[in-house]
Amino acid sequence: MQYFIEVIIPISLPQTFTYKVSEAEFTFIEVGMRIAVPFGKNKFYTGLVADKHHNPPTLYEAKEIHQIIDEKAIVTNTQLEHWKWIASYYMCSIGEVYRCALPSALQLESETIISAKKEVVSKEDLSDDEYLIVEALEQQTALKINEVASILNKKKILPVIQSLLSKNIISLQEEMVEEYKPKLVRYVRLYPEFSSPEKLEELLLMLKNAQKQKNLVLSYFQLNATQRKPISVKELADFSGTSSTIIKALIDKGIFEEYHLQHDRISFEEADGNSIVLNPAQEKALSQIQDVLKKKEVCLLHGVTASGKTEVYFKLIEEFVAKGQQVLYLLPEIALTTQLVSRLVKHFGNKVAVFHSKYSNNERVEVWNQVLENSDKAQIVIGARSALFLPFQNLGLIVVDEEHEQTFKQVDPAPRYHARDASIILAHYHKAKVILGSATPSLETYFNAQSGKYGFVELTERFGNAVLPEIQLVDLKDSYFRKKMTGHFSQDLIDAMTEALYNGEQIILFQNRRGYAPVLECMTCGHIPQCPQCDVSLTYHKFKNQLRCHYCGHSIAKPTNCHACSSIDLTSKGFGTEQIELELASLFPTKNIKRMDQDTTRGKYSFERLIDSFKNREIDILVGTQMLAKGLDFDNVSLVGILNADSMLYFPDFRAFERSYQLMTQVAGRAGRSDKKGKVIIQTYNPLHNTIQHVTNNDYEGMYKEQLFERHIYKYPPYFKLIRLTLKHKDFEKLKEGAMWLYQVLKQQFDIPVLGPEEPPVSKIRNEYIRTILIKIPQEKHLGNTKKTIQKILNSFDAISQYRAIKVSINVDVS
C-alpha cells in the first residue's frame, strides 16, 4: 500500500499538492502539521498537511517530503474549514490564505543563501563536491542554491549541502529552520553549599576585601527575603546599583550560579479587581443583547459615540471567560488596540493577548502558541483583522468594534477578505456569538439588522452626564469673501480654540491628508511635478523638504525652480496635516502641538507615545488624519475642528456620502466625553449639503434612508453584490485590448450589469496601467454559480498567450 498526504503550499496556485510518505511518517503526521516539501526544481516551502490518503496523483509523479517540522498540529481542523470558505468566497487560492494566516516566522522558504563559517577548515576529509563548494566560498562570501547547482553541474545538490552543514563548515541564511526563538532571561542563584549559616559567614569573610562583591551578595539576600521567586541578573543589578561585570566576577568565582528561563515576550500584570458598574441604559442594553443572543448568532449594538459600548462588551466578555471560553476582540486600527489593551488588562489582568502587525514575528508566534494551547494567558485576544486567523480551540464570543471601518477589508495582497464577514462565518463554525458595535453602522449591517437577519440593540444616551456636542457649520465661501480667514482657519474656529486653550482643555483638528500640500505648482507656466511611475502629482513634505509619491514612495528634493520653464515662482496648492501643524505653531507659539498620521506613527510604540502624552494632557492640540476618528477616548477634549469637510464628500466612490457621515460623526464624537459639553466646528464650502446636515442633526436614520434609496436605484449593496476585477500591465495598448476582450465575454455570459473596462482615478501605479471591470450580482442570482462562471472566464483569459502577462486581481464585496 502507498501512503500520500495532501499539502497546502503558500503560493497562489488553485490546488493542494500530493506528496509520498513512508508508513511510519504516515502514522506520525497529523492534519495541520507543517512539512518542508520540495517544489519545482530546487525550491523548498513550508507546506501544511490538509489530508492523508492512499490515492496516487494522476497528473504527476508524487515527490517525497523533505522533513516533518512539527511534533503536533499547529493548525486546527476548524481553521482549515474557515480558510477554505475564505478561499472560495473571496475567489483566491487556499495557499494565499495560508500565507496570510500563519505568522511569517512559522513559514520557511528556500531562496537559500549559503555562506562559510568563520573558522578555518581542514580540507582532507571532504568529498570532491564539498571541496568545490568550499573553494568557491573562499572566493566569494555567499552562494545561492542555483549557483551551487551550476558549480557542481548537478541537480541533486542538497545531500552535499546537508553534509557540509553537519560538518559545521557552512551556514544557511534562510535555512529550513525555525525562525522563532523563545526569549531566554538570565537568572542567578547562590550555589547550594553556601546556604548554611556557617558557610555564609565564611563567604562574607572571603569577600571582605572585595566590598562591591560583598554588597552584591547582601543585596541578593535582601531581594531573596522580600520576594519568593527567581532573581534575574537585570533585577539584581538594578536593585544593588552595580554593573553586571561584578555579577559575572561572582559567577566566575563559583559563588553564583547562572541559569536561563524562558519568558513570554509580552506579559501583563494581574487585574486590579475593580468591577465595572453599568448605568441603567447600559444594563438595559446588556440584558437585551443577552436575550437576542439566545435566538440569533449575531447582534448589532448601535450606540451613539461615548455611550459606553466598551463597558457593555466587557460585561459580556466576563460571562464567556467565566465559562472558560475564548474571546476575540477585533479592532480596525492598531492605534485603538493600544488604548483598549490598558483598559482590558486593568480589568482582566494577564488573560489578555495582543496580536497585530506592529508586533515582532516572535511575539506573534508566542500568541499563536498560547491560543493553540488554550492557555489562560490568551483567553481574550485583542487585535486587528489578522487576529481572525488564530487557532482558537474554544471560541465563545467575537466582538467587532467600529464594524463600519473600511480597514477591516484587506486590499492587497489576496485574500481580500472582510474581517467582519469572515468573523461571522468563523463564529458559525465554533457555534460562537458575534457582537457588532458602532455609532455609525455600515449600511449593509444596519440593513441586515432591520430585516431581522441580525439582532438589534440601541444605546441612545452618552455615558455619565455627557451630552452630544454642539455642531457649528462655518461657510468657507462666506469667510473668504469677508476676509475672515487666517491661513486655513476661520475666525470662529480660532476664537473657539483660544477659549478652549484658556480653559486648559485639549483640541483635536482633523484633516484627511498627510504631507504639507498635495500639489506644487509653477505660477508662470502651470507645470506640476508628477511621479514618473504613477499617474499622480507629488505631495510636498516640508519637514523633509521633498516631494513624495504616496503610491510608490518615489521622492525628489524640493525643486528651487520649475522643471519646465525654470521659473522660481513656485507655490503650493491645497493643504495637509504638516501645513496645519506649522500654521498652529505661529497662531499658538506657546502650546504643544503634535501631529498623528502615517508619517509620525511608523515605529512600534509611536502610537502609545502619542496617545499616552495626549491622555496625560502633555499635548494641547493634536492634528491628524482619519486615525483620530477611531473610537479613541480622551476626557479633556472640548473642541474638535474639521478643516475641510468637502474633500471627503466628492470622492469618486458610491460609499462617499456614507463614509463622510461616519468619519465626521466619529471625529465629532471625540469631543465632550465627560461632563463638559463639547463643541465641533465643521468648515465647508457647502453647508447645505444633505450629508453635512445629517451630521449636524446627528440623524443616522435620515442618512441611511436616503443612501438606501439611491443604492436601490443605482444597483449597489446591500441590494447587489459587487465583484471588481482589476487588470494591470506595463503596456497600455495590450491592457486596453485584454480588458475589452474580458469585458465582452463577461457581457455575453451574464444578463446582469457589467460595467467597464474603465480607468480608475489613479490609472497608473509603479509603471503599470490599470483598468477595472465591475460586476453587479443581484440578490436573487446564485452567487456561487456566478463566481464559478467568472473563474472559468478568467481561466480561459489566462490561456490566451498574448494576455497571459496581464495581472488580474479579484475583489469580492468591494469596500
Side-chain angles (χ1 to χ4, degrees):
M1 187 187 280
Q2 291 179 300
Y3 300 94
F4 298 96
I5 54 170
E6 285 300 317
V7 177
I8 302 167
I9 292 175
I11 48 179
S12 58
L13 288 172
Q15 76 267 41
T16 55
F17 292 86
T18 309
Y19 285 85
K20 202 173 4 181
V21 289
S22 67
E23 188 178 352
E25 286 170 335
F26 188 81
T27 46
F28 178 76
I29 289 171
E30 296 170 29
V31 170
M33 274 187 181
R34 290 172 306 150
I35 309 274
V37 290
F39 189 78
K41 284 185 180 166
N42 49 16
K43 274 201 170 174
F44 280 91
Y45 282 105
T46 302
L48 191 78
V49 180
D51 195 13
K52 295 159 59 171
H53 56 78
H54 302 289
N55 316 321
T58 48
L59 298 173
Y60 55 90
E61 183 72 29
K63 292 183 180 179
E64 292 190 356
I65 62 167
H66 186 55
Q67 71 189 78
I68 300 170
I69 298 174
D70 295 313
E71 289 178 13
K72 59 178 201 296
I74 63 157
V75 171
T76 66
N77 286 334
T78 313
Q79 263 179 301
L80 283 171
E81 285 303 309
H82 190 228
W83 292 2
K84 283 175 192 161
W85 177 85
I86 288 177
S88 95
Y89 185 83
Y90 291 104
M91 296 178 76
C92 61
S93 70
I94 185 113
E96 288 171 313
V97 183
Y98 163 49
R99 188 174 56 206
C100 168
L102 218 63
S104 51
L106 294 174
Q107 295 182 48
L108 321 159
E109 290 182 15
S110 68
E111 276 295 278
T112 318
I113 293 167
I114 301 161
S115 54
K117 290 268 173 87
K118 296 277 187 292
E119 300 83 34
V120 182
V121 182
S122 69
K123 297 179 185 172
E124 279 88 70
D125 52 350
L126 296 181
S127 69
D128 295 349
D129 287 346
E130 291 168 359
Y131 185 81
L132 280 172
I133 296 174
V134 173
E135 284 278 87
L137 283 169
E138 283 173 1
Q139 306 301 316
Q140 60 191 91
T141 51
L143 292 170
K144 282 193 173 165
I145 288 270
N146 49 8
E147 291 169 337
V148 174
S150 59
I151 290 169
L152 300 181
N153 204 7
K154 281 184 175 179
K155 276 188 180 174
K156 290 197 170 176
I157 52 165
L158 283 161
V160 184
I161 291 171
Q162 287 292 343
S163 149
L164 283 170
L165 276 172
S166 61
K167 291 174 182 171
N168 210 13
I169 294 169
I170 59 167
S171 64
L172 301 190
Q173 268 166 300
E174 205 205 311
E175 215 173 333
M176 295 299 268
V177 294
E178 283 287 3
E179 271 189 40
Y180 167 66
K181 292 184 181 64
K183 182 181 177 184
L184 295 173
V185 177
R186 280 174 68 210
Y187 284 91
V188 286
R189 60 183 163 220
L190 209 59
Y191 268 104
E193 64 243 35
F194 296 115
S195 52
S196 66
E198 306 85 55
K199 289 279 184 191
L200 232 166
E201 279 176 37
E202 269 178 48
L203 171 64
L204 293 174
L205 273 171
M206 196 169 85
L207 294 175
K208 70 172 187 291
N209 295 332
Q211 195 57 43
K212 283 187 175 173
Q213 292 180 10
K214 185 179 171 184
N215 290 344
L216 189 73
V217 173
L218 291 169
S219 296
Y220 172 83
F221 282 113
Q222 258 181 296
L223 259 178
N224 209 16
T226 52
Q227 53 177 53
R228 295 268 167 224
K229 62 178 190 181
I231 294 169
S232 70
V233 171
K234 184 179 180 303
E235 202 178 353
L236 184 56
D238 289 349
F239 182 75
S240 60
T242 50
S243 67
S244 51
T245 44
I246 294 166
I247 299 176
K248 189 177 182 310
L250 286 168
I251 292 168
D252 294 345
K253 280 185 178 177
I255 295 167
F256 275 151
E257 177 187 5
E258 180 184 33
Y259 64 105
H260 290 82
L261 287 180
Q262 188 176 326
H263 263 229
D264 289 333
R265 284 181 166 77
I266 302 150
S267 61
F268 296 114
E269 300 307 309
E270 282 305 305
D272 63 1
N274 292 351
S275 64
I276 291 170
V277 182
L278 301 184
N279 67 15
Q282 288 171 317
E283 285 284 4
K284 185 179 169 198
L286 179 66
S287 66
Q288 284 176 331
I289 292 170
Q290 287 162 337
D291 293 344
V292 165
L293 291 181
K294 285 173 191 162
K295 297 176 233 144
K296 290 192 163 77
E297 282 188 1
V298 185
C299 177
L300 168 64
L301 174 60
H302 177 207
V304 294
T305 52
S307 56
K309 294 186 285 294
T310 314
E311 282 77 13
V312 177
Y313 303 149
F314 280 19
K315 278 291 188 193
L316 280 164
I317 291 171
E318 269 177 19
E319 285 176 29
F320 285 91
V321 168
K323 286 189 239 167
Q325 290 182 296
Q326 291 169 310
V327 176
L328 172 62
Y329 197 132
L330 287 180
L331 289 162
E333 189 73 67
I334 295 169
L336 263 182
T337 55
T338 53
Q339 214 189 8
L340 200 76
V341 166
S342 54
R343 286 169 74 178
L344 271 167
V345 170
K346 219 172 175 171
H347 192 64
F348 294 102
N350 208 0
K351 290 185 175 153
V352 182
V354 186
F355 191 85
H356 58 62
S357 59
K358 277 272 195 317
Y359 273 31
S360 72
N361 265 328
N362 288 340
E363 287 167 344
R364 280 187 276 172
V365 172
E366 269 170 16
V367 174
W368 181 282
N369 290 334
Q370 286 169 356
V371 174
L372 184 65
E373 289 154 13
N374 205 353
S375 148
D376 283 349
K377 289 179 186 167
Q379 258 199 288
I380 303 163
V381 178
I382 176 170
R385 58 173 184 257
S386 54
L388 190 71
F389 292 114
L390 286 165
F392 293 102
Q393 298 288 347
N394 182 15
L395 188 62
L397 175 71
I398 302 178
V399 177
V400 184
D401 200 6
E402 309 294 345
E403 64 80 28
H404 63 277
E405 280 296 343
Q406 67 201 66
T407 36
F408 276 129
K409 176 89 163 111
Q410 170 133 324
V411 183
D412 270 321
R416 296 173 180 81
Y417 66 99
H418 197 300
R420 177 194 62 215
D421 304 342
S423 66
I424 291 172
I425 300 296
L426 179 68
H428 180 72
Y429 284 130
H430 279 280
K431 300 193 167 38
K433 304 295 182 189
V434 182
I435 302 289
L436 307 176
S438 175
T440 51
S442 67
L443 246 70
E444 292 88 328
T445 305
Y446 201 74
F447 180 79
N448 283 334
Q450 295 296 330
S451 58
K453 188 176 175 184
Y454 301 164
F456 180 64
V457 174
E458 267 188 304
L459 250 180
T460 49
E461 57 188 69
R462 282 190 146 190
F463 185 73
N465 304 321
V467 281
L468 283 168
E470 166 203 346
I471 298 178
Q472 179 187 342
L473 298 179
V474 173
D475 186 347
L476 286 174
K477 278 200 303 277
D478 186 56
S479 296
Y480 275 113
F481 180 71
R482 294 173 188 276
K483 307 268 189 296
K484 281 188 172 177
M485 296 291 287
T486 311
H488 293 95
F489 294 90
S490 60
Q491 196 54 50
D492 293 4
L493 184 53
I494 291 175
D495 292 346
M497 286 167 72
T498 314
E499 187 187 335
L501 291 170
Y502 178 75
N503 294 333
E505 293 156 356
Q506 289 166 296
I507 299 166
I508 287 179
L509 294 178
F510 174 76
Q511 168 56 14
N512 208 7
R513 174 169 268 143
R514 62 193 171 99
Y516 181 83
V519 170
L520 196 70
E521 186 180 6
C522 169
M523 295 308 281
T524 312
C525 71
H527 172 77
I528 295 169
Q530 298 282 327
C531 173
Q533 299 163 16
C534 308
D535 181 25
V536 284
S537 61
L538 295 172
T539 303
Y540 175 35
H541 286 250
K542 191 158 188 165
F543 286 99
K544 291 189 173 167
N545 200 33
Q546 61 175 205
L547 299 179
R548 173 181 235 127
C549 170
H550 284 182
Y551 285 87
C552 70
H554 170 82
S555 64
I556 57 170
K558 186 201 169 193
T560 49
N561 50 12
C562 171
H563 290 163
C565 72
S566 299
S567 157
I568 54 166
D569 192 6
L570 300 175
T571 182
S572 59
K573 293 279 173 75
F575 64 103
T577 47
E578 274 185 23
Q579 194 165 342
I580 299 303
E581 189 183 10
L582 285 169
E583 283 182 15
L584 283 169
S586 61
L587 284 169
F588 304 105
T590 58
K591 299 297 175 190
N592 188 6
I593 298 149
K594 283 279 184 283
R595 175 164 60 93
M596 183 172 170
D597 56 28
Q598 242 184 326
D599 299 324
T600 60
T601 53
R602 293 204 188 277
K604 181 172 174 181
Y605 295 113
S606 43
F607 284 125
E608 277 102 322
R609 277 200 283 286
L610 264 174
I611 288 168
D612 285 349
S613 47
F614 194 67
K615 204 167 179 60
N616 300 338
R617 307 186 183 184
E618 292 158 23
I619 299 172
D620 300 304
I621 306 173
L622 189 60
V623 187
T625 56
Q626 59 190 12
M627 287 179 182
L628 288 174
K630 319 271 172 81
L632 295 169
D633 183 20
F634 304 113
D635 53 4
N636 193 37
V637 174
S638 67
L639 175 68
V640 168
I642 297 174
L643 291 160
N644 186 352
D646 306 316
S647 59
M648 301 174 272
L649 284 170
Y650 300 114
F651 198 72
D653 175 20
F654 72 93
R655 285 198 172 90
F657 289 173
E658 178 194 354
R659 291 255 165 87
S660 302
Y661 176 86
Q662 288 167 344
L663 208 48
M664 285 192 266
T665 306
Q666 290 286 349
V667 175
R670 302 308 114 219
R673 294 176 76 91
S674 55
D675 41 12
K676 290 176 283 204
K677 184 170 185 178
K679 186 171 190 177
V680 180
I681 292 182
I682 301 177
Q683 297 189 159
T684 168
Y685 285 100
N686 195 350
L688 296 175
H689 192 288
N690 271 3
T691 304
I692 291 180
Q693 287 298 322
H694 291 319
V695 174
T696 314
N697 304 325
N698 200 30
D699 181 11
Y700 177 83
E701 200 67 32
M703 185 279 302
Y704 167 74
K705 284 179 178 155
E706 183 184 298
Q707 287 305 304
L708 207 60
F709 179 67
E710 291 198 351
R711 300 272 180 98
H712 194 254
I713 296 171
Y714 298 113
K715 301 188 167 72
Y716 280 108
Y719 298 105
F720 281 70
K721 289 261 183 200
L722 297 186
I723 296 180
R724 185 199 287 140
L725 306 179
T726 305
L727 293 86
K728 294 180 182 178
H729 197 272
K730 292 195 169 171
D731 181 336
F732 181 78
E733 287 304 320
K734 186 177 273 189
L735 175 74
K736 195 172 156 188
E737 192 189 316
M740 206 62 214
W741 183 93
L742 189 58
Y743 167 74
Q744 281 164 344
V745 175
L746 286 164
K747 198 83 179 132
Q748 282 164 8
Q749 286 289 332
F750 292 122
D751 54 350
I752 54 179
V754 180
L755 309 181
E758 58 159 2
E759 292 188 8
V762 179
S763 62
K764 179 180 151 198
I765 295 176
R766 291 192 179 89
N767 284 327
E768 289 185 317
Y769 293 96
I770 305 170
R771 288 283 167 110
T772 58
I773 296 172
L774 194 64
I775 304 161
K776 298 179 173 181
I777 306 166
Q779 281 172 327
E780 60 274 9
K781 203 83 171 150
H782 190 284
L783 193 61
N785 292 345
T786 311
K787 283 181 185 167
K788 276 180 194 153
T789 313
I790 293 172
Q791 194 58 60
K792 273 183 197 157
I793 294 169
L794 287 173
N795 293 347
S796 46
F797 178 75
D798 202 39
I800 301 170
S801 57
Q802 72 256 37
Y803 301 149
R804 193 167 294 147
I806 297 176
K807 295 180 200 160
V808 183
S809 61
I810 310 167
N811 192 345
V812 180
D813 291 347
V814 184
S815 71

